[in-house]
Amino acid sequence: PLYSSAASDVYKRQAKYSVMQSSMASSERIFQLLETPVAVRDAEHPRALPDPGTGRGAIVFENVWFRYGDGEWVIRDLSFEVAPGERVAFVGATGAGKTTIIKLLSRFYDVTRGRILVDGVDIRDVPQAELRRRVATVLQDVFLFSGTVADNIALGRDDLGRADVERVARAVEAHRFITRLPRGYDTE
């Protein structure tokens, strides 16, 4: 054998110690996150977005300013409109604010000045859970989870049926591709 049993025991203890140290460091980060004060809160008197059947999904950024903490302005007086069904691409250098725009629309942060409207409703008046059910983000980095194509689209939401999953796939123009897979939406 390459190692004596005593050397093997030392190696095992060192490996366990290393795992324990790593776990403790991870636990510290988790507890720090859990202790972080909530910065974005729901309105005292929330408003609902129009029903998805009647609401069209118009988005308006109106004179939006934003900065992280007391730092430099990331977004300065940004105004634009996205009509229902319109496709928009945000293009720019790293640090230009592309991801920040999506984080603001999803209300991971609140705007510093100005406002963001969805179907005419200021998103600060909409409960975060409702808003986030209506906003989908497709990132440039693809992450797939074990399970079927349908499972990956539903992202663990038990309230979505097959028709909902197919509607989403059609909306992002993935349905035709998916139906050509060996087991369609049930392909692992």
PDB file of all heavy atoms in Angstrom, residues 124-141:
ATOM      1  N   ARG A 124     -43.865  49.961  -7.439  1.00  0.00           N
ATOM      2  CA  ARG A 124     -43.682  50.061  -5.983  1.00  0.00           C
ATOM      3  C   ARG A 124     -44.997  49.839  -5.245  1.00  0.00           C
ATOM      4  O   ARG A 124     -45.000  49.549  -4.049  1.00  0.00           O
ATOM      5  CB  ARG A 124     -43.074  51.408  -5.601  1.00  0.00           C
ATOM      6  CG  ARG A 124     -41.619  51.526  -6.033  1.00  0.00           C
ATOM      7  CD  ARG A 124     -41.094  52.896  -5.795  1.00  0.00           C
ATOM      8  NE  ARG A 124     -41.744  53.826  -6.731  1.00  0.00           N
ATOM      9  CZ  ARG A 124     -41.272  55.011  -7.055  1.00  0.00           C
ATOM     10  NH1 ARG A 124     -40.174  55.461  -6.488  1.00  0.00           N
ATOM     11  NH2 ARG A 124     -41.895  55.780  -7.914  1.00  0.00           N
ATOM     12  N   ASP A 125     -46.127  49.946  -5.964  1.00  0.00           N
ATOM     13  CA  ASP A 125     -47.442  49.723  -5.364  1.00  0.00           C
ATOM     14  C   ASP A 125     -47.916  48.284  -5.507  1.00  0.00           C
ATOM     15  O   ASP A 125     -48.942  47.910  -4.961  1.00  0.00           O
ATOM     16  CB  ASP A 125     -48.481  50.654  -6.012  1.00  0.00           C
ATOM     17  CG  ASP A 125     -48.190  52.115  -5.741  1.00  0.00           C
ATOM     18  OD1 ASP A 125     -47.566  52.417  -4.707  1.00  0.00           O
ATOM     19  OD2 ASP A 125     -48.590  52.961  -6.571  1.00  0.00           O
ATOM     20  N   VAL A 126     -47.180  47.477  -6.266  1.00  0.00           N
ATOM     21  CA  VAL A 126     -47.571  46.091  -6.545  1.00  0.00           C
ATOM     22  C   VAL A 126     -46.829  45.154  -5.592  1.00  0.00           C
ATOM     23  O   VAL A 126     -45.616  45.296  -5.421  1.00  0.00           O
ATOM     24  CB  VAL A 126     -47.228  45.723  -8.013  1.00  0.00           C
ATOM     25  CG1 VAL A 126     -47.583  44.285  -8.317  1.00  0.00           C
ATOM     26  CG2 VAL A 126     -47.921  46.678  -8.975  1.00  0.00           C
ATOM     27  N   PRO A 127     -47.532  44.203  -4.963  1.00  0.00           N
ATOM     28  CA  PRO A 127     -46.820  43.230  -4.120  1.00  0.00           C
ATOM     29  C   PRO A 127     -45.719  42.545  -4.928  1.00  0.00           C
ATOM     30  O   PRO A 127     -45.923  42.158  -6.081  1.00  0.00           O
ATOM     31  CB  PRO A 127     -47.912  42.237  -3.714  1.00  0.00           C
ATOM     32  CG  PRO A 127     -49.196  43.010  -3.852  1.00  0.00           C
ATOM     33  CD  PRO A 127     -48.968  43.963  -4.988  1.00  0.00           C
ATOM     34  N   GLN A 128     -44.551  42.402  -4.321  1.00  0.00           N
ATOM     35  CA  GLN A 128     -43.392  41.837  -5.021  1.00  0.00           C
ATOM     36  C   GLN A 128     -43.684  40.455  -5.601  1.00  0.00           C
ATOM     37  O   GLN A 128     -43.274  40.145  -6.717  1.00  0.00           O
ATOM     38  CB  GLN A 128     -42.203  41.769  -4.071  1.00  0.00           C
ATOM     39  CG  GLN A 128     -41.701  43.130  -3.656  1.00  0.00           C
ATOM     40  CD  GLN A 128     -40.682  43.047  -2.552  1.00  0.00           C
ATOM     41  OE1 GLN A 128     -39.600  42.525  -2.789  1.00  0.00           O
ATOM     42  NE2 GLN A 128     -41.020  43.535  -1.372  1.00  0.00           N
ATOM     43  N   ALA A 129     -44.384  39.620  -4.836  1.00  0.00           N
ATOM     44  CA  ALA A 129     -44.665  38.263  -5.314  1.00  0.00           C
ATOM     45  C   ALA A 129     -45.496  38.300  -6.595  1.00  0.00           C
ATOM     46  O   ALA A 129     -45.235  37.545  -7.535  1.00  0.00           O
ATOM     47  CB  ALA A 129     -45.390  37.456  -4.234  1.00  0.00           C
ATOM     48  N   GLU A 130     -46.483  39.189  -6.651  1.00  0.00           N
ATOM     49  CA  GLU A 130     -47.310  39.293  -7.857  1.00  0.00           C
ATOM     50  C   GLU A 130     -46.485  39.802  -9.037  1.00  0.00           C
ATOM     51  O   GLU A 130     -46.562  39.268 -10.144  1.00  0.00           O
ATOM     52  CB  GLU A 130     -48.493  40.234  -7.625  1.00  0.00           C
ATOM     53  CG  GLU A 130     -49.352  40.391  -8.869  1.00  0.00           C
ATOM     54  CD  GLU A 130     -50.495  41.376  -8.716  1.00  0.00           C
ATOM     55  OE1 GLU A 130     -50.799  41.798  -7.586  1.00  0.00           O
ATOM     56  OE2 GLU A 130     -51.068  41.732  -9.754  1.00  0.00           O
ATOM     57  N   LEU A 131     -45.679  40.828  -8.797  1.00  0.00           N
ATOM     58  CA  LEU A 131     -44.846  41.385  -9.866  1.00  0.00           C
ATOM     59  C   LEU A 131     -43.905  40.327 -10.424  1.00  0.00           C
ATOM     60  O   LEU A 131     -43.778  40.168 -11.635  1.00  0.00           O
ATOM     61  CB  LEU A 131     -44.050  42.579  -9.349  1.00  0.00           C
ATOM     62  CG  LEU A 131     -43.096  43.231 -10.349  1.00  0.00           C
ATOM     63  CD1 LEU A 131     -43.861  43.866 -11.501  1.00  0.00           C
ATOM     64  CD2 LEU A 131     -42.220  44.255  -9.652  1.00  0.00           C
ATOM     65  N   ARG A 132     -43.259  39.597  -9.554  1.00  0.00           N
ATOM     66  CA  ARG A 132     -42.264  38.611  -9.995  1.00  0.00           C
ATOM     67  C   ARG A 132     -42.886  37.411 -10.686  1.00  0.00           C
ATOM     68  O   ARG A 132     -42.219  36.722 -11.451  1.00  0.00           O
ATOM     69  CB  ARG A 132     -41.388  38.212  -8.818  1.00  0.00           C
ATOM     70  CG  ARG A 132     -40.520  39.395  -8.399  1.00  0.00           C
ATOM     71  CD  ARG A 132     -39.672  39.125  -7.220  1.00  0.00           C
ATOM     72  NE  ARG A 132     -39.007  40.355  -6.818  1.00  0.00           N
ATOM     73  CZ  ARG A 132     -38.610  40.608  -5.597  1.00  0.00           C
ATOM     74  NH1 ARG A 132     -38.794  39.717  -4.637  1.00  0.00           N
ATOM     75  NH2 ARG A 132     -38.017  41.740  -5.316  1.00  0.00           N
ATOM     76  N   ARG A 133     -44.179  37.167 -10.446  1.00  0.00           N
ATOM     77  CA  ARG A 133     -44.864  36.115 -11.214  1.00  0.00           C
ATOM     78  C   ARG A 133     -45.087  36.564 -12.648  1.00  0.00           C
ATOM     79  O   ARG A 133     -45.273  35.751 -13.539  1.00  0.00           O
ATOM     80  CB  ARG A 133     -46.203  35.769 -10.558  1.00  0.00           C
ATOM     81  CG  ARG A 133     -46.111  34.756  -9.456  1.00  0.00           C
ATOM     82  CD  ARG A 133     -47.475  34.206  -9.075  1.00  0.00           C
ATOM     83  NE  ARG A 133     -48.370  35.214  -8.546  1.00  0.00           N
ATOM     84  CZ  ARG A 133     -48.441  35.576  -7.266  1.00  0.00           C
ATOM     85  NH1 ARG A 133     -47.652  35.018  -6.388  1.00  0.00           N
ATOM     86  NH2 ARG A 133     -49.286  36.499  -6.889  1.00  0.00           N
ATOM     87  N   ARG A 134     -45.076  37.887 -12.881  1.00  0.00           N
ATOM     88  CA  ARG A 134     -45.360  38.429 -14.207  1.00  0.00           C
ATOM     89  C   ARG A 134     -44.121  38.767 -15.009  1.00  0.00           C
ATOM     90  O   ARG A 134     -44.220  39.084 -16.189  1.00  0.00           O
ATOM     91  CB  ARG A 134     -46.189  39.707 -14.074  1.00  0.00           C
ATOM     92  CG  ARG A 134     -47.469  39.563 -13.303  1.00  0.00           C
ATOM     93  CD  ARG A 134     -48.617  39.117 -14.192  1.00  0.00           C
ATOM     94  NE  ARG A 134     -49.857  39.257 -13.481  1.00  0.00           N
ATOM     95  CZ  ARG A 134     -50.722  40.238 -13.657  1.00  0.00           C
ATOM     96  NH1 ARG A 134     -50.498  41.155 -14.557  1.00  0.00           N
ATOM     97  NH2 ARG A 134     -51.812  40.287 -12.959  1.00  0.00           N
ATOM     98  N   VAL A 135     -42.955  38.783 -14.366  1.00  0.00           N
ATOM     99  CA  VAL A 135     -41.725  39.170 -15.051  1.00  0.00           C
ATOM    100  C   VAL A 135     -40.847  37.933 -15.221  1.00  0.00           C
ATOM    101  O   VAL A 135     -40.575  37.224 -14.259  1.00  0.00           O
ATOM    102  CB  VAL A 135     -40.944  40.244 -14.251  1.00  0.00           C
ATOM    103  CG1 VAL A 135     -39.616  40.565 -14.912  1.00  0.00           C
ATOM    104  CG2 VAL A 135     -41.787  41.508 -14.095  1.00  0.00           C
ATOM    105  N   ALA A 136     -40.427  37.673 -16.435  1.00  0.00           N
ATOM    106  CA  ALA A 136     -39.526  36.551 -16.705  1.00  0.00           C
ATOM    107  C   ALA A 136     -38.207  37.104 -17.219  1.00  0.00           C
ATOM    108  O   ALA A 136     -38.194  38.049 -18.016  1.00  0.00           O
ATOM    109  CB  ALA A 136     -40.132  35.607 -17.738  1.00  0.00           C
ATOM    110  N   THR A 137     -37.130  36.543 -16.742  1.00  0.00           N
ATOM    111  CA  THR A 137     -35.812  36.974 -17.173  1.00  0.00           C
ATOM    112  C   THR A 137     -35.095  35.804 -17.819  1.00  0.00           C
ATOM    113  O   THR A 137     -35.027  34.726 -17.238  1.00  0.00           O
ATOM    114  CB  THR A 137     -34.991  37.469 -15.961  1.00  0.00           C
ATOM    115  OG1 THR A 137     -35.721  38.508 -15.315  1.00  0.00           O
ATOM    116  CG2 THR A 137     -33.638  37.993 -16.391  1.00  0.00           C
ATOM    117  N   VAL A 138     -34.586  36.012 -19.004  1.00  0.00           N
ATOM    118  CA  VAL A 138     -33.801  34.993 -19.687  1.00  0.00           C
ATOM    119  C   VAL A 138     -32.368  35.510 -19.725  1.00  0.00           C
ATOM    120  O   VAL A 138     -32.070  36.491 -20.401  1.00  0.00           O
ATOM    121  CB  VAL A 138     -34.326  34.721 -21.117  1.00  0.00           C
ATOM    122  CG1 VAL A 138     -33.477  33.661 -21.800  1.00  0.00           C
ATOM    123  CG2 VAL A 138     -35.789  34.316 -21.070  1.00  0.00           C
ATOM    124  N   LEU A 139     -31.502  34.861 -18.965  1.00  0.00           N
ATOM    125  CA  LEU A 139     -30.122  35.308 -18.865  1.00  0.00           C
ATOM    126  C   LEU A 139     -29.277  34.728 -19.999  1.00  0.00           C
ATOM    127  O   LEU A 139     -29.650  33.730 -20.618  1.00  0.00           O
ATOM    128  CB  LEU A 139     -29.542  34.885 -17.514  1.00  0.00           C
ATOM    129  CG  LEU A 139     -30.302  35.413 -16.297  1.00  0.00           C
ATOM    130  CD1 LEU A 139     -29.764  34.796 -15.023  1.00  0.00           C
ATOM    131  CD2 LEU A 139     -30.193  36.919 -16.234  1.00  0.00           C
ATOM    132  N   GLN A 140     -28.133  35.335 -20.234  1.00  0.00           N
ATOM    133  CA  GLN A 140     -27.259  34.833 -21.284  1.00  0.00           C
ATOM    134  C   GLN A 140     -26.536  33.570 -20.861  1.00  0.00           C
ATOM    135  O   GLN A 140     -26.099  32.791 -21.684  1.00  0.00           O
ATOM    136  CB  GLN A 140     -26.267  35.907 -21.708  1.00  0.00           C
ATOM    137  CG  GLN A 140     -25.335  36.369 -20.612  1.00  0.00           C
ATOM    138  CD  GLN A 140     -24.542  37.592 -21.040  1.00  0.00           C
ATOM    139  OE1 GLN A 140     -24.824  38.226 -22.050  1.00  0.00           O
ATOM    140  NE2 GLN A 140     -23.541  37.918 -20.263  1.00  0.00           N
ATOM    141  N   ASP A 141     -26.388  33.348 -19.551  1.00  0.00           N
ATOM    142  CA  ASP A 141     -25.788  32.118 -19.045  1.00  0.00           C
ATOM    143  C   ASP A 141     -26.905  31.113 -18.823  1.00  0.00           C
ATOM    144  O   ASP A 141     -27.845  31.384 -18.075  1.00  0.00           O
ATOM    145  CB  ASP A 141     -25.054  32.360 -17.725  1.00  0.00           C
ATOM    146  CG  ASP A 141     -23.917  33.353 -17.886  1.00  0.00           C
ATOM    147  OD1 ASP A 141     -23.225  33.274 -18.921  1.00  0.00           O
ATOM    148  OD2 ASP A 141     -23.742  34.193 -16.996  1.00  0.00           O
TER     149      ASP A 141
END
